[in-house]
Every structure is written in C-alpha cells, then in structure tokens.
Amino acid sequence: MTKGTKIMAHLARTTQCLVPLANHRGFLSILRRISVTATLPDKSRFSALWTLGNLGCDADNMIMMANHPGLLDSLLEVADRDRSPEARCHAVKAMMNLAWRPENKTPMSEIPRLLSSMLRMLLYSGIVQARRHAASCLRFLASAPPKTKLRIVLHDNGSILSSVVNAASSDKDRYVRDCATGILSNLSCKETSKVMGEHPGLFDILAKVAVGDGGKASKIAAAALCSLSEHIQSANTKVLSNPLTPRKIDKGVVLVRSGGSSQIQSDGI
C-alpha cells in the first residue's frame, strides 16, 4: 500500500499527468478512501492526501474535484478529526487549491463546516503552514460575488470576522497576518460594509496595518478602509461614535472619526 501511494504521488508531480490521473476512472475515489482510513499506515494516507492536493493545483481539475462525490466531505473529516497534524495540513491545502477556481467559491462557501474548519485551523493549528493554507483558502473564498461575501461575513454570527481580525493583529507569522488583511479586503463591498463597519476592532486593525511598513499589506488595508468608508457614507450609516484624531494612512489616506461618523480621505493609492 505504501509503495503504491508513493508511486501515485510521484506521478502527480508531473504536470502532464495531472488531468489524466484525476479523470482516470476510480482514481479520486481510491485516494479519498485511503485518506480517511485510519487503520492504514500514515505514510500511505499522507501520500494520498498530498496527491489530492497536487491534482487540485491544475485549473482543469478543480471544478470536477470539488464536485466529486464525497471528496470535500472526506477532506473535511481529515481536517477536523485526524490524529495527525500533517494529515490535517495536507487536507487543508487540497481545499485551498480547489477554492482558487472562481466557479468553486460560492459552492464551497455554502458549506458551513468548511468555513468553520478553516477558522479552527487558522486560529489553533500549531503548524505555520497549516495556518497559511487556511488563511489562503478563506482569502480565495472571500474573492467572490457580493452575496457570497455577505454569507461568509454572517457565518456563525460573525465568527469569521472575529477570527480574521484576531489573526491579522496577533498571528506570529507575517504571511498569515498579511493574508488575513487580504481576507478583510476581499470581503469589503457594499453588501458587507454595515456589518464589517460595526464589527469591534476591524477598522482599528486595518488602520494599524495601513500605517505599517508601506508594503503590499499596508496598501491592501488602506484600500479596504477606503472601500468600506465609501460604502458606509453612501448608505449614510452610523458606524463609529468614538472621536479619533486624524491619522495618516499610507501616503495620503486619512481616517477621521468625529460626531459619530467615519470618513476616509485619499489622495490616491
């Protein structure tokens, strides 16, 4: 079994083999069963999960794999309950790859267990790479149509916003923090502006990142602040009531809070 799954993994390293392998009758089903069978050797399960993740790197496989009967359920089972942190990391990576495809964003975001699983991995995994995969998965899903963004924001009474704000402010890994900022930016739109604007600490963490080192994350945070503010003002929504002195954000962006309103002024980013 271990030799067989190792051969599968080697084949999945070859770009030209990715689509034929994924479409070979029964191949995905075999990998799925191996990945969730706890009595099999860990090396066999790891190879099967790694192979699934690599097959999901090919855009031509992504839609088919996301719709393969039981595949996402099996990956979620591993991500949530497997005894091995390495196996859980491989499972999250596979789902992250599938979430990249635009056609998969809405269907995958409609699976509450998937969103909750990514949040747990983002907040509690001791493996940096697993947190990176979870953050990237959520960032891909957040780059979706407005109605899908709103569904994500409202998931589990706003737990996604709380978790992402926490990751953006306190995760020890720079990539995870930057990715969490990207999630907030991707979620920003007219439909989500009220909920996001009222979420405790969200504006503050975006402002903190925006006045950071001037890197890509700073620009993303500043753009998110501008977008949210514009939508909030256009809807004439009262969001913040605490006064705040003007704060410069990334080359000409200023956040002003006074008289119960929020305003972003920009000279252009």
Side-chain angles (χ1 to χ4, degrees):
M1 175 65 73
T2 301
K3 289 183 179 179
T5 53
K6 191 173 183 179
I7 291 173
M8 293 179 187
H10 279 299
L11 289 173
R13 292 177 183 272
T14 306
T15 303
Q16 294 87 340
C17 292
L18 295 179
V19 174
L21 282 174
N23 285 276
H24 186 77
R25 185 176 180 181
F27 191 68
L28 292 179
S29 296
I30 291 172
L31 293 175
R32 181 184 67 80
R33 287 197 294 270
I34 293 173
S35 67
V36 295
T37 304
T39 55
L40 292 176
D42 280 348
K43 288 184 178 180
S44 297
R45 296 189 309 111
F46 295 165
S47 292
L49 288 164
W50 186 93
T51 302
L52 285 171
N54 225 42
L55 292 176
C57 288
D58 194 299
D60 291 334
N61 288 337
M62 293 175 182
I63 297 176
M64 180 270 291
M65 290 181 66
N67 289 280
H68 185 82
L71 181 56
L72 282 177
D73 289 336
S74 294
L75 291 173
L76 284 169
E77 188 68 17
V78 174
D80 289 342
R81 300 182 180 180
D82 200 277
R83 65 181 181 274
S84 166
E86 184 176 348
R88 295 198 294 272
C89 184
H90 284 311
V92 173
K93 180 181 179 181
M95 288 184 280
M96 173 198 74
N97 288 339
L98 299 182
W100 178 86
R101 181 83 184 213
E103 294 88 343
N104 288 342
K105 297 180 188 299
T106 295
M108 290 180 69
S109 71
E110 291 176 345
I111 305 174
R113 183 182 179 185
L114 190 152
L115 296 178
S116 296
S117 181
M118 294 304 109
L119 290 181
R120 283 193 295 272
M121 191 67 66
L122 175 63
L123 289 179
Y124 304 121
S125 177
I127 300 179
V128 173
Q129 198 61 49
R131 298 201 308 278
R132 289 182 176 184
H133 293 332
S136 294
C137 184
L138 290 171
R139 184 183 62 184
F140 292 153
L141 293 178
S143 179
K147 290 183 179 179
T148 300
K149 295 177 189 283
L150 182 59
R151 183 184 301 111
I152 294 173
V153 164
L154 296 176
H155 172 72
D156 193 22
N157 296 318
S159 64
I160 280 188
L161 291 182
S162 299
S163 300
V164 174
V165 167
N166 182 64
S169 62
S170 60
D171 196 279
K172 295 180 180 180
D173 183 68
R174 172 66 181 268
Y175 180 91
V176 175
R177 295 196 304 273
D178 290 353
C179 199
T181 301
I183 295 170
L184 295 175
S185 178
N186 285 351
L187 288 174
S188 303
C189 66
K190 178 181 178 181
E191 287 77 2
T192 62
S193 58
K194 184 177 187 298
V195 178
M196 293 183 70
E198 293 176 345
H199 190 84
L202 190 148
F203 264 50
D204 290 334
I205 187 58
L206 284 176
K208 180 180 179 181
V209 175
V211 296
D213 58 12
K216 184 177 180 180
S218 297
K219 292 178 172 60
I220 290 173
L225 282 169
C226 290
S227 173
L228 283 173
S229 179
E230 288 171 2
H231 291 309
I232 289 169
Q233 290 182 67
S234 65
N236 196 26
T237 304
K238 183 177 181 180
V239 179
L240 300 167
S241 58
N242 294 328
L244 178 69
T245 56
R247 181 185 299 178
K248 185 173 181 181
I249 300 176
D250 190 47
K251 298 181 181 180
V253 180
V254 180
L255 171 64
V256 181
R257 296 183 199 165
S258 61
S261 63
S262 174
Q263 182 178 1
I264 300 291
Q265 299 173 341
S266 175
D267 297 329
I269 299 176

